């Protein structure tokens, strides 16, 4: 799903999710790529090419919130490296008529893991397999 990303540092910014997080990225999801308004839809966040050197090494401090900077979204990190994050974020309402804005926060050295993978996927998903080893593995069953 195409989106734009802008980076912000906490200093001097009002309406911040939590003072415990020092950095954020604004993610704008293009409404023209959404065929109908969707509820509790898992959105793939990938190829955010930026330095996450201020994030915890395991990505435990990533938090995704709604444009109101209050509503926390459930997310699952598929993979994380210092400059590349792949995550699934359950956006509670994804509009087909106007761009959807979410914020990704990071840079909290003291927090525990913020993920909630179970609630990214609802009961309509029987199984979720990310299959990230397709290029190195030939053991693919029941795909």
């Amino acid at each position: 799903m195409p989106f734009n990303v802008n980076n912000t540092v906490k200093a001097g910014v009002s309406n911040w999710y939590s003072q415990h997080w020092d950095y954020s990225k604004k993610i704008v999801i293009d409404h023209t790529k959404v065929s109908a308004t969707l509820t509790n839809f898992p959105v793939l966040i990938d190829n955010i090419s930026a330095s996450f050197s201020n994030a915890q090494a395991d990505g435990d401090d990533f938090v995704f919130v709604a444009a109101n900077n209050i509503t926390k979204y459930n997310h699952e990190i598929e993979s994380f490296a210092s400059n590349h994050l792949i995550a699934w974020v359950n956006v509670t309402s994804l509009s087909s008529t106007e761009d959807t804005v979410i914020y990704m926060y990071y840079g909290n050295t003291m927090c525990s893991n913020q993920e909630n993978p179970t609630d990214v996927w609802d009961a309509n998903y029987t199984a979720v397999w990310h299959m990230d080893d397709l290029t190195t593995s030939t053991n693919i069953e029941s795909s």
Side-chain angles (χ1 to χ4, degrees):
M1 182 154 307
F3 51 82
N4 295 320
V5 179
N6 297 317
N7 196 26
T8 306
V9 178
K10 177 175 62 177
V13 176
S14 62
N15 193 29
W16 199 258
Y17 167 68
S18 169
Q19 293 304 307
H20 299 289
W21 275 261
D22 291 333
Y23 302 90
S24 78
K25 293 187 182 298
K26 179 180 180 181
I27 302 170
V28 181
I29 301 171
D30 183 354
H31 74 279
T32 65
K33 308 301 182 198
V34 181
S35 60
T37 297
L38 303 168
T39 304
N40 294 323
F41 187 80
V43 173
L44 174 64
I45 304 296
D46 186 6
N47 269 341
I48 298 177
S49 56
S51 173
F52 291 115
S53 61
N54 295 302
Q56 290 184 17
D58 56 7
D60 280 354
D61 58 329
F62 283 105
V63 174
F64 296 86
V65 298
N68 65 11
N69 269 315
I70 297 171
T71 306
K72 183 177 173 182
Y73 292 137
N74 295 311
H75 76 279
E76 176 182 11
I77 295 176
E78 185 173 329
S79 67
F80 172 64
S82 63
N83 63 351
H84 191 182
L85 170 70
I86 300 175
W88 292 90
V89 180
N90 185 303
V91 178
T92 55
S93 181
L94 193 60
S95 176
S96 63
T97 59
E98 61 184 59
D99 291 348
T100 301
V101 175
I102 66 174
Y103 290 94
M104 175 180 62
Y105 286 87
Y106 62 100
N108 180 339
T109 60
M110 304 303 287
C111 72
S112 60
N113 190 339
Q114 299 297 301
E115 287 182 273
N116 185 1
T118 303
D119 288 337
V120 172
W121 314 99
D122 66 23
N124 293 313
Y125 292 90
T126 304
V128 176
W129 298 336
H130 296 299
M131 311 289 279
D132 59 348
D133 67 344
L134 290 177
T135 59
T136 60
S137 175
T138 58
N139 185 15
I140 300 170
E141 298 178 16
S142 302
S143 59

